[in-house]
Amino acid sequence: MTVNTALKDSSIESYGSVDRPDKDWEDPLKNKDPEKSAEPLSTLGQLLNLPRSCGMWFVGLERNFGMELLLAIFAAEHLIKGFDHGVGSDATSFLFKLYHVEAVNVQTYTAVKAMPWSLKPAIGALSDLFPILGYRKAPYIIMSSIIGIGCYIAIGVDFSTSIPIEFCVIMLMGCNVQGSVCDLLTEAQYSERLSEKPKHGPDLVSFVWLGQTLMSLVASLIIGPLLSIGGPHLVFLICVVPAAVVLWPMSRNYLGERYQTAKESAEMRAWFLSVWEVFVPVIAVLVGAIALTICGLTIHNKLVRLIIALLCLALVLASINVALRPEISRIISFYIVQSAVHVSFSGASFYFYTDTEDELPGGPHFSKTFFTTVLGIVSAVCSLIGLWMYIKWFKHWGYRKILYVTNVVLCIAYLLDIVQFTRLNKRIGVNDHIFCLGSHTVQRLVARIAWMPQVLVLSQMCPKGLEGTMYAILAGSANFGGSIASFIGAYLLHISGVNPRGTLGDAAQLSFLWLPCVVSAIMPALMVLLIPYMIPDIAQTGAVLVEDPSSPSLGSPLSRWLAHRRGATAWSRPIDTNSG
């Protein structure tokens, strides 16, 4: 999302200096002559050589991209998205339990607090249109981090739970504002650096994802003991430290941003106006997110909440299908609807798994350590295994085939929850901990395999010159579908009479938890009927945009109407752009 014009290097006085290596660096110890290469190392030899290999790999990253960029990524992606987001998500459920929030409201509040992740398109457009002091990323990261730090402190110091729960939800939104802004703008900046050295791009992307996974594992290891020692408030106080660390590299311009002049900012705004049709979905998602936030915090009628959520979903789908080209709109509409129908009942299932014997006689009674640490580690490991399985067996499948299989398997996997919610596993002699680990493993593995082609197809739907902008629009819209799923789940719990709150009456409230789960298991199967009409019959390596791949609106109803009115082509781009 940057204009490809000559930009002035940032100075030490104005924003800090950055070391930007000019030449690609290769491992000097690597044998370049295949005829002189040594014999393959044994498994033991490979393990013993692993520290040296990792060290040289990191040295290569440092030489090619600079230590400052790696430190910025570590602070924004590893600490904020990997650690803070991991421990914060787990701590939030126990925070709601301290307040005895009804499960129906937990569903709604969970969607509201995560709304900043749906606002990535608006955040990206704002930072590009209105740079601060000539910089488009770091100032926004710094401001969002100050908001995040304040919100973490506000939640962490209130050990008495005296502040209203709605205020807590707003503070949780503030924490996610930091996570969303840091993730989007850091990703945009290192994507620009990748374009300079594409040969080493996989290494940098691996560094980002490996660091996130390792920090999420660290988060899983400590979250259980922390909750047992000091409850969720202690966890949020600890999150202040990583949230504050990001201020140092961003204030020193470790991202390596270039100064943008007033003229270049004007050119950027002019270019945005020339492609305004693309931002119709941005406005729709922004309006929908605001409406859902206000609805979730102020309206208590469950049916009204559902109606507003479905109207917002219709608004977003309509904007996408009106403004974007059919090849894009059909696919992203499918993934939005698929996210919306993959309904989770985490608000109720959390109470089912963690209630005490007094609250739910005969229940699983999972400890905080098992529910957060053990299941968290299993989730992280399953994500890695699922990624490996996808690369080994599924990356050559077509989009339709992998969607058929994963949707059907997920439906079957969701039925496993019903076995536990009806206590059938106990009647056949299967321990709750063992059964939950098994069902959790299957669901996470399949979900990871299903997620990979979605990421791939989203990247393939980004027109040239608009990669960063379009990816933010597509990913934000998909995240919006997940928020709709929480509202649908809340209403299904309500009409099923399932509304526990972590008190002595939970046994009666949870007796029909299996009923909405049957509905949630059936809904993904219905998506199979839409696959032939909305997903192209191509391999995952095939091109999604064949004709005029630089146009995001070719053939859209809006572009055809505009072309008819002005008697010109519906798409023009006055200046070149880079991805961001």
Short mmCIF file of all heavy atoms in Angstrom, two decimals, residues 240-300:
data_model
loop_
_atom_site.label_atom_id
_atom_site.label_comp_id
_atom_site.label_asym_id
_atom_site.label_seq_id
_atom_site.Cartn_x
_atom_site.Cartn_y
_atom_site.Cartn_z
N VAL A 240 1.31 -6.43 30.13
CA VAL A 240 1.76 -5.05 29.97
C VAL A 240 3.20 -5.00 29.48
O VAL A 240 3.57 -4.15 28.65
CB VAL A 240 1.61 -4.28 31.29
CG1 VAL A 240 2.24 -2.89 31.19
CG2 VAL A 240 0.13 -4.16 31.67
N VAL A 241 4.03 -5.92 29.98
CA VAL A 241 5.46 -5.88 29.63
C VAL A 241 5.69 -6.10 28.13
O VAL A 241 6.33 -5.27 27.48
CB VAL A 241 6.24 -6.91 30.48
CG1 VAL A 241 7.72 -6.92 30.07
CG2 VAL A 241 6.10 -6.59 31.96
N PRO A 242 5.20 -7.20 27.54
CA PRO A 242 5.37 -7.33 26.08
C PRO A 242 4.71 -6.21 25.30
O PRO A 242 5.24 -5.78 24.27
CB PRO A 242 4.71 -8.68 25.76
CG PRO A 242 4.71 -9.43 27.05
CD PRO A 242 4.53 -8.39 28.11
N ALA A 243 3.55 -5.72 25.79
CA ALA A 243 2.86 -4.64 25.08
C ALA A 243 3.69 -3.38 25.06
O ALA A 243 3.63 -2.59 24.10
CB ALA A 243 1.51 -4.38 25.74
N ALA A 244 4.51 -3.16 26.12
CA ALA A 244 5.33 -1.97 26.19
C ALA A 244 6.64 -2.12 25.43
O ALA A 244 7.21 -1.13 24.95
CB ALA A 244 5.61 -1.62 27.65
N VAL A 245 7.13 -3.34 25.30
CA VAL A 245 8.42 -3.57 24.64
C VAL A 245 8.40 -3.06 23.20
O VAL A 245 9.40 -2.56 22.68
CB VAL A 245 8.78 -5.07 24.68
CG1 VAL A 245 9.93 -5.39 23.72
CG2 VAL A 245 9.14 -5.48 26.09
N VAL A 246 7.23 -3.17 22.54
CA VAL A 246 7.15 -2.79 21.13
C VAL A 246 7.39 -1.30 20.91
O VAL A 246 7.75 -0.87 19.80
CB VAL A 246 5.77 -3.20 20.57
CG1 VAL A 246 4.69 -2.24 21.04
CG2 VAL A 246 5.79 -3.26 19.05
N LEU A 247 7.24 -0.48 21.96
CA LEU A 247 7.43 0.96 21.80
C LEU A 247 8.86 1.31 21.40
O LEU A 247 9.09 2.26 20.63
CB LEU A 247 7.06 1.67 23.10
CG LEU A 247 5.58 1.62 23.51
CD1 LEU A 247 5.39 2.25 24.88
CD2 LEU A 247 4.71 2.32 22.47
N TRP A 248 9.84 0.58 21.94
CA TRP A 248 11.24 0.93 21.67
C TRP A 248 11.61 0.74 20.19
O TRP A 248 12.07 1.71 19.55
CB TRP A 248 12.17 0.10 22.56
CG TRP A 248 13.62 0.28 22.20
CD1 TRP A 248 14.41 -0.59 21.54
CD2 TRP A 248 14.42 1.43 22.45
NE1 TRP A 248 15.67 -0.08 21.36
CE2 TRP A 248 15.72 1.17 21.92
CE3 TRP A 248 14.20 2.65 23.08
CZ2 TRP A 248 16.76 2.08 21.98
CZ3 TRP A 248 15.24 3.57 23.16
CH2 TRP A 248 16.50 3.27 22.62
N PRO A 249 11.44 -0.43 19.58
CA PRO A 249 11.84 -0.56 18.18
C PRO A 249 11.03 0.32 17.24
O PRO A 249 11.56 0.79 16.23
CB PRO A 249 11.62 -2.05 17.88
CG PRO A 249 10.67 -2.53 18.90
CD PRO A 249 10.94 -1.72 20.12
N MET A 250 9.77 0.56 17.57
CA MET A 250 8.97 1.40 16.68
C MET A 250 9.37 2.87 16.78
O MET A 250 9.40 3.59 15.78
CB MET A 250 7.47 1.24 16.99
CG MET A 250 6.98 -0.18 16.79
SD MET A 250 7.35 -0.83 15.13
CE MET A 250 7.08 -2.58 15.38
N SER A 251 9.70 3.34 17.98
CA SER A 251 10.12 4.73 18.14
C SER A 251 11.49 4.99 17.52
O SER A 251 11.82 6.12 17.17
CB SER A 251 10.14 5.11 19.62
OG SER A 251 11.12 4.35 20.31
N ARG A 252 12.28 3.93 17.33
CA ARG A 252 13.60 4.05 16.71
C ARG A 252 13.56 3.71 15.22
O ARG A 252 14.59 3.62 14.57
CB ARG A 252 14.59 3.12 17.41
CG ARG A 252 14.76 3.34 18.90
CD ARG A 252 15.33 4.70 19.17
NE ARG A 252 16.67 4.86 18.60
CZ ARG A 252 17.33 6.00 18.55
NH1 ARG A 252 16.76 7.11 19.02
NH2 ARG A 252 18.53 6.06 18.03
N ASN A 253 12.38 3.56 14.67
CA ASN A 253 12.20 3.23 13.25
C ASN A 253 12.93 1.96 12.84
O ASN A 253 13.54 1.88 11.79
CB ASN A 253 12.66 4.39 12.35
CG ASN A 253 12.20 4.21 10.90
OD1 ASN A 253 11.22 3.51 10.63
ND2 ASN A 253 12.92 4.82 9.98
N TYR A 254 12.84 0.93 13.68
CA TYR A 254 13.46 -0.34 13.33
C TYR A 254 12.76 -1.02 12.15
O TYR A 254 13.32 -1.91 11.52
CB TYR A 254 13.46 -1.28 14.54
CG TYR A 254 14.57 -1.00 15.53
CD1 TYR A 254 15.35 0.14 15.45
CD2 TYR A 254 14.83 -1.89 16.57
CE1 TYR A 254 16.36 0.39 16.36
CE2 TYR A 254 15.85 -1.65 17.49
CZ TYR A 254 16.60 -0.50 17.38
OH TYR A 254 17.61 -0.26 18.27
N LEU A 255 11.52 -0.60 11.87
CA LEU A 255 10.84 -1.15 10.71
C LEU A 255 11.49 -0.72 9.40
O LEU A 255 11.32 -1.36 8.37
CB LEU A 255 9.37 -0.73 10.70
CG LEU A 255 8.41 -1.48 11.61
CD1 LEU A 255 7.01 -0.87 11.53
CD2 LEU A 255 8.36 -2.96 11.27
N GLY A 256 12.21 0.38 9.44
CA GLY A 256 12.88 0.86 8.23
C GLY A 256 11.96 1.62 7.30
O GLY A 256 12.15 1.60 6.08
N GLU A 257 10.99 2.34 7.87
CA GLU A 257 10.11 3.15 7.02
C GLU A 257 10.89 4.30 6.38
O GLU A 257 11.81 4.85 6.97
CB GLU A 257 8.97 3.74 7.85
CG GLU A 257 7.84 2.82 8.14
CD GLU A 257 6.66 3.58 8.70
OE1 GLU A 257 5.86 4.10 7.89
OE2 GLU A 257 6.53 3.67 9.92
N ARG A 258 10.46 4.68 5.19
CA ARG A 258 11.00 5.86 4.54
C ARG A 258 10.05 7.04 4.76
O ARG A 258 8.84 6.87 4.79
CB ARG A 258 11.21 5.61 3.05
CG ARG A 258 12.28 4.56 2.75
CD ARG A 258 12.45 4.40 1.25
NE ARG A 258 13.45 3.39 0.93
CZ ARG A 258 14.75 3.64 0.83
NH1 ARG A 258 15.20 4.86 1.05
NH2 ARG A 258 15.59 2.68 0.51
N TYR A 259 10.64 8.20 4.86
CA TYR A 259 9.85 9.41 5.05
C TYR A 259 9.02 9.70 3.81
O TYR A 259 9.50 9.58 2.69
CB TYR A 259 10.79 10.58 5.34
CG TYR A 259 10.09 11.90 5.52
CD1 TYR A 259 9.54 12.26 6.75
CD2 TYR A 259 9.99 12.80 4.46
CE1 TYR A 259 8.91 13.47 6.92
CE2 TYR A 259 9.36 14.01 4.62
CZ TYR A 259 8.82 14.35 5.85
OH TYR A 259 8.20 15.55 6.01
N GLN A 260 7.75 10.03 4.02
CA GLN A 260 6.85 10.33 2.90
C GLN A 260 6.55 11.82 2.89
O GLN A 260 6.05 12.38 3.87
CB GLN A 260 5.56 9.54 3.03
CG GLN A 260 4.63 9.68 1.84
CD GLN A 260 3.51 8.66 1.86
OE1 GLN A 260 3.70 7.54 2.31
NE2 GLN A 260 2.34 9.04 1.38
N THR A 261 6.83 12.47 1.78
CA THR A 261 6.62 13.91 1.67
C THR A 261 5.13 14.22 1.51
O THR A 261 4.31 13.35 1.24
CB THR A 261 7.38 14.47 0.46
OG1 THR A 261 6.81 13.92 -0.73
CG2 THR A 261 8.86 14.13 0.54
N ALA A 262 4.80 15.51 1.67
CA ALA A 262 3.41 15.94 1.52
C ALA A 262 2.91 15.69 0.10
O ALA A 262 1.75 15.31 -0.12
CB ALA A 262 3.28 17.42 1.87
N LYS A 263 3.80 15.86 -0.89
CA LYS A 263 3.43 15.61 -2.27
C LYS A 263 3.10 14.14 -2.50
O LYS A 263 2.10 13.80 -3.16
CB LYS A 263 4.56 16.05 -3.19
CG LYS A 263 4.27 15.80 -4.67
CD LYS A 263 5.44 16.20 -5.54
CE LYS A 263 5.16 15.89 -7.01
NZ LYS A 263 6.31 16.26 -7.87
N GLU A 264 3.91 13.27 -1.94
CA GLU A 264 3.68 11.84 -2.09
C GLU A 264 2.41 11.40 -1.37
O GLU A 264 1.68 10.53 -1.84
CB GLU A 264 4.89 11.06 -1.58
CG GLU A 264 6.11 11.22 -2.47
CD GLU A 264 7.40 10.90 -1.76
OE1 GLU A 264 7.38 10.71 -0.53
OE2 GLU A 264 8.44 10.85 -2.44
N SER A 265 2.11 12.03 -0.23
CA SER A 265 0.86 11.73 0.47
C SER A 265 -0.34 12.15 -0.37
O SER A 265 -1.35 11.45 -0.42
CB SER A 265 0.84 12.45 1.82
OG SER A 265 1.89 12.01 2.66
N ALA A 266 -0.21 13.30 -1.05
CA ALA A 266 -1.29 13.75 -1.92
C ALA A 266 -1.48 12.79 -3.10
O ALA A 266 -2.61 12.50 -3.51
CB ALA A 266 -1.00 15.16 -2.42
N GLU A 267 -0.37 12.29 -3.65
CA GLU A 267 -0.46 11.32 -4.74
C GLU A 267 -1.14 10.03 -4.28
O GLU A 267 -1.93 9.43 -5.02
CB GLU A 267 0.94 11.00 -5.28
CG GLU A 267 1.57 12.13 -6.05
CD GLU A 267 2.97 11.79 -6.51
OE1 GLU A 267 3.60 10.90 -5.88
OE2 GLU A 267 3.45 12.40 -7.47
N MET A 268 -0.82 9.61 -3.06
CA MET A 268 -1.45 8.42 -2.52
C MET A 268 -2.96 8.61 -2.38
O MET A 268 -3.76 7.74 -2.76
CB MET A 268 -0.83 8.07 -1.16
CG MET A 268 -1.54 6.96 -0.41
SD MET A 268 -1.46 5.37 -1.25
CE MET A 268 0.23 4.89 -0.87
N ARG A 269 -3.38 9.75 -1.85
CA ARG A 269 -4.81 10.01 -1.70
C ARG A 269 -5.50 10.09 -3.06
O ARG A 269 -6.65 9.62 -3.22
CB ARG A 269 -5.02 11.28 -0.89
CG ARG A 269 -4.76 11.10 0.60
CD ARG A 269 -5.19 12.32 1.40
NE ARG A 269 -4.24 13.41 1.28
CZ ARG A 269 -3.19 13.57 2.07
NH1 ARG A 269 -2.96 12.70 3.05
NH2 ARG A 269 -2.39 14.60 1.92
N ALA A 270 -4.82 10.67 -4.05
CA ALA A 270 -5.40 10.73 -5.39
C ALA A 270 -5.58 9.33 -5.98
O ALA A 270 -6.58 9.04 -6.64
CB ALA A 270 -4.51 11.58 -6.30
N TRP A 271 -4.58 8.47 -5.73
CA TRP A 271 -4.69 7.10 -6.23
C TRP A 271 -5.83 6.36 -5.55
O TRP A 271 -6.58 5.62 -6.19
CB TRP A 271 -3.37 6.36 -6.00
CG TRP A 271 -3.44 4.92 -6.36
CD1 TRP A 271 -3.47 4.38 -7.60
CD2 TRP A 271 -3.55 3.82 -5.45
NE1 TRP A 271 -3.57 3.01 -7.54
CE2 TRP A 271 -3.62 2.64 -6.22
CE3 TRP A 271 -3.57 3.70 -4.07
CZ2 TRP A 271 -3.72 1.38 -5.64
CZ3 TRP A 271 -3.67 2.46 -3.49
CH2 TRP A 271 -3.75 1.31 -4.28
N PHE A 272 -5.99 6.56 -4.24
CA PHE A 272 -7.10 5.92 -3.53
C PHE A 272 -8.44 6.34 -4.13
O PHE A 272 -9.35 5.53 -4.28
CB PHE A 272 -7.05 6.28 -2.05
CG PHE A 272 -6.31 5.28 -1.20
CD1 PHE A 272 -4.93 5.20 -1.24
CD2 PHE A 272 -6.99 4.42 -0.37
CE1 PHE A 272 -4.25 4.28 -0.48
CE2 PHE A 272 -6.32 3.49 0.41
CZ PHE A 272 -4.94 3.42 0.36
N LEU A 273 -8.55 7.63 -4.48
CA LEU A 273 -9.80 8.11 -5.06
C LEU A 273 -10.05 7.49 -6.43
O LEU A 273 -11.19 7.28 -6.83
CB LEU A 273 -9.77 9.64 -5.17
CG LEU A 273 -9.85 10.41 -3.86
CD1 LEU A 273 -9.68 11.91 -4.12
CD2 LEU A 273 -11.18 10.15 -3.16
N SER A 274 -8.97 7.16 -7.15
CA SER A 274 -9.12 6.58 -8.48
C SER A 274 -9.63 5.15 -8.44
O SER A 274 -10.13 4.64 -9.43
CB SER A 274 -7.80 6.65 -9.25
OG SER A 274 -6.87 5.71 -8.73
N VAL A 275 -9.46 4.48 -7.30
CA VAL A 275 -9.91 3.09 -7.16
C VAL A 275 -10.91 2.96 -6.01
O VAL A 275 -10.94 1.97 -5.30
CB VAL A 275 -8.71 2.13 -6.95
CG1 VAL A 275 -7.83 2.09 -8.17
CG2 VAL A 275 -7.89 2.54 -5.72
N TRP A 276 -11.74 3.99 -5.86
CA TRP A 276 -12.63 4.05 -4.70
C TRP A 276 -13.60 2.87 -4.63
O TRP A 276 -14.07 2.50 -3.55
CB TRP A 276 -13.40 5.36 -4.69
CG TRP A 276 -14.36 5.50 -5.84
CD1 TRP A 276 -14.12 6.06 -7.06
CD2 TRP A 276 -15.72 5.06 -5.87
NE1 TRP A 276 -15.22 5.99 -7.85
CE2 TRP A 276 -16.23 5.39 -7.16
CE3 TRP A 276 -16.56 4.42 -4.96
CZ2 TRP A 276 -17.54 5.10 -7.54
CZ3 TRP A 276 -17.85 4.13 -5.34
CH2 TRP A 276 -18.34 4.47 -6.60
N GLU A 277 -13.90 2.24 -5.78
CA GLU A 277 -14.83 1.11 -5.76
C GLU A 277 -14.34 -0.03 -4.87
O GLU A 277 -15.14 -0.73 -4.24
CB GLU A 277 -15.04 0.56 -7.19
CG GLU A 277 -15.47 1.58 -8.21
CD GLU A 277 -14.32 1.94 -9.12
OE1 GLU A 277 -13.31 2.44 -8.60
OE2 GLU A 277 -14.43 1.73 -10.35
N VAL A 278 -13.01 -0.19 -4.82
CA VAL A 278 -12.43 -1.28 -4.03
C VAL A 278 -12.73 -1.10 -2.55
O VAL A 278 -12.80 -2.08 -1.79
CB VAL A 278 -10.90 -1.33 -4.26
CG1 VAL A 278 -10.26 -2.43 -3.44
CG2 VAL A 278 -10.61 -1.54 -5.73
N PHE A 279 -12.96 0.13 -2.13
CA PHE A 279 -13.11 0.38 -0.71
C PHE A 279 -14.56 0.42 -0.25
O PHE A 279 -14.84 0.74 0.91
CB PHE A 279 -12.39 1.69 -0.35
CG PHE A 279 -10.91 1.61 -0.61
CD1 PHE A 279 -10.38 2.06 -1.80
CD2 PHE A 279 -10.07 1.03 0.33
CE1 PHE A 279 -9.03 1.94 -2.05
CE2 PHE A 279 -8.72 0.92 0.08
CZ PHE A 279 -8.19 1.38 -1.11
N VAL A 280 -15.46 0.07 -1.15
CA VAL A 280 -16.86 -0.09 -0.74
C VAL A 280 -16.99 -1.18 0.33
O VAL A 280 -17.67 -0.98 1.35
CB VAL A 280 -17.76 -0.37 -1.96
CG1 VAL A 280 -19.17 -0.76 -1.52
CG2 VAL A 280 -17.79 0.83 -2.89
N PRO A 281 -16.35 -2.38 0.15
CA PRO A 281 -16.41 -3.38 1.23
C PRO A 281 -15.76 -2.91 2.53
O PRO A 281 -16.20 -3.32 3.61
CB PRO A 281 -15.65 -4.58 0.64
CG PRO A 281 -15.70 -4.39 -0.84
CD PRO A 281 -15.67 -2.92 -1.05
N VAL A 282 -14.73 -2.05 2.43
CA VAL A 282 -14.09 -1.53 3.64
C VAL A 282 -15.11 -0.75 4.47
O VAL A 282 -15.22 -0.92 5.69
CB VAL A 282 -12.89 -0.64 3.28
CG1 VAL A 282 -12.28 -0.02 4.54
CG2 VAL A 282 -11.84 -1.43 2.52
N ILE A 283 -15.85 0.11 3.80
CA ILE A 283 -16.87 0.91 4.49
C ILE A 283 -17.95 0.01 5.07
O ILE A 283 -18.43 0.22 6.20
CB ILE A 283 -17.46 1.95 3.53
CG1 ILE A 283 -16.36 2.91 3.05
CG2 ILE A 283 -18.59 2.72 4.20
CD1 ILE A 283 -16.81 3.86 1.96
N ALA A 284 -18.35 -1.02 4.30
CA ALA A 284 -19.40 -1.92 4.77
C ALA A 284 -18.96 -2.67 6.02
O ALA A 284 -19.72 -2.80 6.99
CB ALA A 284 -19.77 -2.90 3.66
N VAL A 285 -17.72 -3.18 6.02
CA VAL A 285 -17.22 -3.90 7.20
C VAL A 285 -17.11 -2.95 8.38
O VAL A 285 -17.44 -3.30 9.53
CB VAL A 285 -15.86 -4.54 6.90
CG1 VAL A 285 -15.25 -5.13 8.17
CG2 VAL A 285 -16.02 -5.64 5.85
N LEU A 286 -16.66 -1.71 8.14
CA LEU A 286 -16.55 -0.73 9.22
C LEU A 286 -17.91 -0.43 9.83
O LEU A 286 -18.07 -0.43 11.06
CB LEU A 286 -15.91 0.55 8.67
CG LEU A 286 -15.78 1.73 9.66
CD1 LEU A 286 -14.87 1.34 10.83
CD2 LEU A 286 -15.26 2.96 8.96
N VAL A 287 -18.91 -0.20 8.98
CA VAL A 287 -20.27 0.07 9.48
C VAL A 287 -20.81 -1.15 10.24
O VAL A 287 -21.39 -1.01 11.32
CB VAL A 287 -21.20 0.43 8.31
CG1 VAL A 287 -22.66 0.49 8.77
CG2 VAL A 287 -20.79 1.76 7.69
N GLY A 288 -20.58 -2.35 9.68
CA GLY A 288 -21.04 -3.56 10.34
C GLY A 288 -20.38 -3.78 11.68
O GLY A 288 -21.05 -4.17 12.66
N ALA A 289 -19.08 -3.52 11.77
CA ALA A 289 -18.36 -3.72 13.03
C ALA A 289 -18.85 -2.74 14.10
O ALA A 289 -19.03 -3.12 15.27
CB ALA A 289 -16.86 -3.55 12.80
N ILE A 290 -19.07 -1.49 13.71
CA ILE A 290 -19.58 -0.50 14.67
C ILE A 290 -20.98 -0.89 15.14
O ILE A 290 -21.29 -0.82 16.34
CB ILE A 290 -19.59 0.90 14.03
CG1 ILE A 290 -18.15 1.37 13.76
CG2 ILE A 290 -20.31 1.90 14.94
CD1 ILE A 290 -18.07 2.68 12.99
N ALA A 291 -21.82 -1.31 14.20
CA ALA A 291 -23.18 -1.70 14.56
C ALA A 291 -23.19 -2.90 15.50
O ALA A 291 -23.94 -2.93 16.50
CB ALA A 291 -23.98 -2.03 13.29
N LEU A 292 -22.35 -3.91 15.23
CA LEU A 292 -22.31 -5.09 16.09
C LEU A 292 -21.75 -4.75 17.47
O LEU A 292 -22.18 -5.33 18.48
CB LEU A 292 -21.46 -6.18 15.44
CG LEU A 292 -22.06 -6.86 14.20
CD1 LEU A 292 -21.11 -7.94 13.69
CD2 LEU A 292 -23.42 -7.48 14.53
N THR A 293 -20.78 -3.85 17.52
CA THR A 293 -20.22 -3.45 18.81
C THR A 293 -21.28 -2.77 19.67
O THR A 293 -21.46 -3.10 20.85
CB THR A 293 -19.02 -2.52 18.61
OG1 THR A 293 -18.01 -3.20 17.85
CG2 THR A 293 -18.44 -2.08 19.94
N ILE A 294 -21.98 -1.79 19.10
CA ILE A 294 -23.02 -1.09 19.84
C ILE A 294 -24.13 -2.06 20.23
O ILE A 294 -24.63 -2.05 21.37
CB ILE A 294 -23.59 0.07 18.99
CG1 ILE A 294 -22.48 1.11 18.75
CG2 ILE A 294 -24.79 0.71 19.68
CD1 ILE A 294 -22.90 2.22 17.80
N CYS A 295 -24.52 -2.92 19.28
CA CYS A 295 -25.58 -3.90 19.54
C CYS A 295 -25.18 -4.85 20.67
O CYS A 295 -25.98 -5.12 21.58
CB CYS A 295 -25.86 -4.67 18.26
SG CYS A 295 -26.80 -6.19 18.47
N GLY A 296 -23.95 -5.36 20.64
CA GLY A 296 -23.51 -6.34 21.64
C GLY A 296 -23.41 -5.77 23.03
O GLY A 296 -23.59 -6.50 24.02
N LEU A 297 -23.12 -4.47 23.14
CA LEU A 297 -22.94 -3.86 24.45
C LEU A 297 -24.19 -3.21 25.02
O LEU A 297 -24.28 -3.01 26.23
CB LEU A 297 -21.82 -2.80 24.37
CG LEU A 297 -20.41 -3.32 24.09
CD1 LEU A 297 -19.44 -2.16 23.95
CD2 LEU A 297 -19.95 -4.26 25.19
N THR A 298 -25.16 -2.88 24.18
CA THR A 298 -26.31 -2.10 24.66
C THR A 298 -27.65 -2.80 24.51
O THR A 298 -28.59 -2.50 25.24
CB THR A 298 -26.39 -0.74 23.93
OG1 THR A 298 -26.57 -0.96 22.52
CG2 THR A 298 -25.10 0.06 24.14
N ILE A 299 -27.76 -3.73 23.55
CA ILE A 299 -29.05 -4.39 23.31
C ILE A 299 -29.05 -5.77 23.98
O ILE A 299 -28.12 -6.55 23.78
CB ILE A 299 -29.32 -4.53 21.80
CG1 ILE A 299 -29.43 -3.15 21.16
CG2 ILE A 299 -30.59 -5.35 21.54
CD1 ILE A 299 -29.63 -3.18 19.66
N HIS A 300 -30.08 -6.06 24.75
CA HIS A 300 -30.14 -7.31 25.50
C HIS A 300 -31.11 -8.32 24.91
O HIS A 300 -31.10 -9.49 25.31
CB HIS A 300 -30.51 -7.03 26.96
CG HIS A 300 -29.54 -6.10 27.65
ND1 HIS A 300 -28.26 -6.48 27.97
CD2 HIS A 300 -29.67 -4.80 28.04
CE1 HIS A 300 -27.63 -5.47 28.54
NE2 HIS A 300 -28.46 -4.44 28.60
#
